Amino acid sequence: MKIESENAISTENVRKSAAATGDLLISVKGLEKRFGEVEVLRGIDLDINRGDVICIIGPSGSGKSTFLRCLNLLERPDGGSIVFEGDDLTDKKTDVNLHRQKMGMVFQQFNLFPHMSVLENMTCAPVMLKKCTKEEAEQRALSLLARVGLADRAGSYPTQLSGGQKQRVAIVRALCMEPDVMLFDEPTSALDPEMVGEVLDVMKELAESGMTMVVVTHEMGFAREVSNRVIFLDDGVIGEEGSPAELFGQPKSERLQSFLSKVL
Amino acid sequence: MSWLEQLHKTFIASGHYEWIIEGFLNTIKITLGALAIGVVIGSAVAVAKFFSEGAPSMRWVSVLCDFYVTVIRGIPVVVLLFIFFFVVMIGADGVTVAILTFGINSGAYMAEVVRSGINAVDKGQMEAGRSLGLSKLQTMRKIIFPQAIRNILPAIGNEMIALLKETSVAGYVGVVDLTRAGNIIRNNTFDAINPLLLVALVYLVLVVGLTRLLKVFERKLAKNEDRIRKRDLH
């Protein structure tokens, strides 16, 4: 698939393909998280359906990343529950590792494994976790790399890649586990401006394919164009939520209006 | 008497070279054995400490590790050697005692080195591994540890060299190591300078050889990635 062609895809098509099926995937209730004295999340409720593409926006320090990192328990919540595919992740008895296999995550700083080639980066987890044989994993990895235009980079090491390439590898590394949902933590914030596009294009294509996505981002254009729901997080609570048209078109709260006036 | 004649008299004619060979072999044996034990103990302690830091229920592991490192680092290795030879392992063969003592001693230093290597690996690496569904131990083994070892290879080299030279006190418990061998010859021949010179030279050659070997190993581990990076810089 050529990256260029994606720009032609109309907003409407993307939205339709990303339309929620109504099939509940993740249910967050009353989520709370404190760092010492600071209450970062103060009771967040959110239902994420299969096929949802949810963008989380908000000022820095509002708890966006913390919320996302709570979803796969990289941060352990202090209160509330996260029910993923029927299991409460906050329950101590739940095997988090097993559920994390179904939740791909993409980081701001890419976090590729520098001592492994691109191919090894992608195949190490599925093979170690016995999700498939080495051959199957390599085959899947190569076809994923081709999908993001990096087929010729399978043998490269992360230090040989540009920022945009690294992030694309990070995305397909997560996809190699065949997750049910993908979490993106400011995936383009560490990129040079000219590389933001290539990563957003991959994410757009992923959204089109029907992948459930939760994206913390400062890319308002992406949020407006690709997501079917936007969450405005403000001071640890959901300030406003709705379709991109509602949130960007008619922001109700003053906080959101002032936030949007600063970032748009 | 020329110098060569003196050498012949000191080492060959009297058969004293056999002491040197025996000493050399024992020094190598003790160093390599202790190194293996040290690396294993050091890695185990460092990893155990890393895991116990996050979990309150594992605090005793951390305390135990700290205790080991503090005690061992606080006692001179000769004293430790005496304790093992005369108290803990009475009747055991000197070389075995030396290997164990130096290994346990080196493990404490190695633990600190490995720990620094683990801490130097970016926090995001653990998060990336965990987010893929790998357990903490799997991430440590496959992702953190290999990077940590590469970070600390030069420090491990230093520890190896220190260890090799430290073994020269093994003679205190009757082991004929390289140093003791030189000493024996000095006593028997009243020739001080040549045996000591030879012993010093052998240590020096060993250290230089080790350093070289380590450089090769370092380069091998660095693989393509760093080579490319260096090429870009020049």
Side-chain angles (χ1 to χ4, degrees), chain A residues 20-86:
Chain A
T21 54
D23 183 5
L24 190 63
L25 185 66
I26 306 175
S27 176
V28 180
K29 285 208 170 59
L31 194 67
E32 286 171 22
K33 175 70 190 174
R34 275 185 302 276
F35 289 119
E37 293 291 293
V38 189
E39 278 186 88
V40 186
L41 300 178
R42 302 184 296 139
I44 292 191
D45 300 298
L46 182 67
D47 282 344
I48 300 166
N49 295 318
R50 260 179 226 280
D52 264 348
V53 177
I54 295 179
C55 279
I56 301 175
I57 60 170
S60 64
S62 58
K64 306 183 297 287
S65 286
T66 305
F67 172 70
L68 196 76
R69 290 160 57 83
C70 276
L71 288 182
N72 68 351
L73 259 59
L74 281 186
E75 305 288 355
R76 207 161 246 294
D78 293 311
S81 66
I82 301 164
V83 177
F84 174 61
E85 295 181 336

Side-chain angles (χ1 to χ4, degrees), chain B residues 114-157:
Chain B
V114 175
R115 202 166 67 93
S116 75
I118 289 174
N119 288 342
V121 175
D122 187 75
K123 217 171 96 255
Q125 295 289 309
M126 178 53 86
E127 291 185 349
R130 299 306 305 277
S131 78
L132 287 165
L134 299 177
S135 70
K136 211 170 174 185
L137 198 66
Q138 284 170 322
T139 312
M140 172 55 76
R141 204 179 76 216
K142 197 78 178 174
I143 291 158
I144 311 288
F145 203 69
Q147 293 184 58
I149 289 296
R150 228 180 66 197
N151 288 343
I152 59 172
L153 223 50
I156 290 186

Side-chain angles (χ1 to χ4, degrees), chain B residues 157 160-161 164-165 200-216:
Chain B
M160 250 163 95
I161 290 168
L164 170 69
K165 296 195 292 181
L201 192 72
V202 173
Y203 277 117
L204 183 66
V205 167
L206 277 175
V207 168
V208 171
L210 265 178
T211 312
R212 286 270 169 83
L213 205 71
L214 217 78
K215 279 261 160 61
V216 172

Side-chain angles (χ1 to χ4, degrees), chain A residues 69 72 74 97 100-101 103 105 107 111-116 125 128-129 157 159-160 173-174 177, chain B residues 122 124-125 127-135 138 141-143 146-147 150 223-225 228-229:
Chain A
R69 290 160 57 83
N72 68 351
L74 281 186
N97 293 332
R100 281 195 182 126
Q101 295 181 19
M103 302 173 119
M105 186 159 200
F107 300 85
N111 293 345
L112 295 180
F113 309 134
H115 60 302
M116 297 182 186
M128 263 185 109
L129 296 166
Y157 281 82
T159 45
Q160 297 168 260
R173 176 176 70 180
M177 288 295 293
Chain B
D122 187 75
Q125 295 289 309
E127 291 185 349
R130 299 306 305 277
S131 78
L132 287 165
L134 299 177
S135 70
Q138 284 170 322
R141 204 179 76 216
K142 197 78 178 174
I143 291 158
Q147 293 184 58
R150 228 180 66 197
K223 275 197 198 157
N224 311 359
E225 5 159 16
I228 301 266
R229 206 186 304 158

